[in-house]
Amino acid sequence: MRLKNARRTTLFATLGLAAALTLTACGGGDDDTSGDTPSGAPSSSASAGATETGASDSGSSGGSDAGATATGSATGTGAGSGSDGKTSICRTDELEVNAADNTTDKKEGVVTVQLKNAGGRDCSINGYAGVDLKAADGSTLSVERNGEPVYPAVLKNGDSAAFNITFPYNNSGGSGVRLTDILVTPPNETKYVRVAWPAGTLPVTDGSSSGKLQIGPATRVG
């Protein structure tokens, strides 16, 4: 999905609702909300409500919580440093993360994930976030990158970036696959945030379906 043209308009329209429902990524949560991060590491050139944060695994709307490090498929990647005078990356603990269902038709679903800079300083965001989806049966679904180009951006305090998760709409008439959470690792970070899945179910598929789970790069909005 592209965050421009019709889809970009849809993404912007969602942010007003999503912003009211956010909690900070370091906002606490119960002891049982911490955990190891999902798997994988999205890169700057390639590569959602209660929320929980954790360290990355080399392995409606919601707010955020915090947690540890390990191995798996949802580590965010991107560019940014700070030692050379450049704006350093947006850290997980500085971001308010929320997700909202932005589906407009019954062919392809859209969930928009917003990353708001609440760290009190400028920070840079560049690349794809790491994303894994958790299902009610305990399984984890990987999400492909859609291959759209990455545009680095600096977020001032209060500014936001966002990306879309697109998914096949369940038109089967069956109960489908019920998702519970999105594990989001901001670009170039290793610590994830867990936010509730705000949309409907996915169709059960044997792999022959043309529908795909995909994410776009994080893009500055507003």
Side-chain angles (χ1 to χ4, degrees):
M1 283 301 306
R2 295 184 178 279
L3 296 185
K4 52 188 178 182
N5 301 330
R7 285 294 167 77
R8 187 179 182 96
T9 300
T10 306
L11 185 154
F12 292 164
T14 305
L15 293 180
L17 172 62
L21 298 170
T22 57
L23 300 170
T24 58
C26 58
D30 300 330
D31 291 342
D32 60 355
T33 60
S34 303
D36 292 339
T37 346
S39 53
S43 81
S44 61
S45 56
S47 347
T51 336
E52 165 189 341
T53 61
S56 84
D57 236 341
S58 42
S60 359
S61 308
S64 6
D65 259 345
T69 305
T71 54
S73 90
T75 303
T77 66
S81 68
S83 58
D84 57 358
K86 295 181 179 179
T87 303
S88 60
I89 64 170
C90 297
R91 296 295 182 182
T92 301
D93 290 341
E94 298 176 315
L95 297 171
E96 294 177 352
V97 182
N98 67 76
D101 184 5
N102 207 14
T103 301
T104 58
D105 61 48
K106 294 187 176 182
K107 293 181 180 180
E108 183 177 65
V110 178
V111 164
T112 300
V113 178
Q114 181 188 22
L115 310 172
K116 181 179 179 180
N117 179 13
R121 67 175 182 89
D122 294 355
C123 64
S124 66
I125 196 156
N126 179 16
Y128 283 76
V131 173
D132 279 344
L133 304 180
K134 302 296 289 186
D137 63 2
S139 61
T140 300
L141 304 180
S142 298
V143 185
E144 300 177 3
R145 300 167 194 163
N146 64 12
E148 291 181 1
V150 169
Y151 298 101
V154 172
L155 301 183
K156 294 185 178 299
N157 188 51
D159 287 350
S160 295
F163 62 88
N164 283 337
I165 302 172
T166 57
F167 59 95
Y169 193 89
N170 184 13
N171 289 309
S172 67
S175 58
V177 178
R178 185 170 69 87
L179 299 178
T180 58
D181 300 290
I182 312 172
L183 305 186
V184 180
T185 307
N188 218 23
E189 260 286 39
T190 57
K191 189 175 185 180
Y192 71 83
V193 175
R194 181 189 298 261
V195 296
W197 175 256
T201 62
L202 305 183
V204 176
T205 177
D206 59 2
S208 60
S209 171
S210 59
K212 291 182 178 181
L213 282 168
Q214 291 189 323
I215 61 169
T219 302
R220 187 180 182 280
V221 295

